[in-house]
Amino acid sequence: PRSTLFPYTTLFRSDGDLNGMVEAVLQVCPNLGEIMVGGALLSRGVKVHRRRLRSHFSELTELGEK
């Protein structure tokens, strides 16, 4: 079955959920880069496509710089 190939339980349907998770990781470790944030999410059982993570990560870091 497909569930054994992809054991990750959390799939984000909304962008707000993903933004919240990325923000939570960056609050704990604000100097993490995109790859490390992806790893932190993966360790929490969240699998996100790199392209989608990159767009959210750059959006949030741009907001933080202003």
Side-chain angles (χ1 to χ4, degrees), residues 43-61:
S43 73
R44 296 174 183 185
V46 178
K47 186 161 176 110
V48 181
H49 287 279
R50 187 183 303 178
R51 187 177 321 149
R52 187 170 177 209
L53 177 62
R54 181 175 292 137
S55 69
H56 287 275
F57 183 81
S58 63
E59 178 182 312
L60 289 173
T61 54

Side-chain angles (χ1 to χ4, degrees), residues 61-66:
T61 54
E62 287 174 7
L63 291 175
E65 292 174 356
K66 292 181 180 179

Side-chain angles (χ1 to χ4, degrees), residues 13-31:
R13 294 190 180 115
S14 74
D15 291 340
D17 290 342
L18 181 57
N19 280 344
M21 285 293 288
V22 172
E23 284 177 347
V25 170
L26 290 175
Q27 284 178 353
V28 174
C29 299
N31 295 324

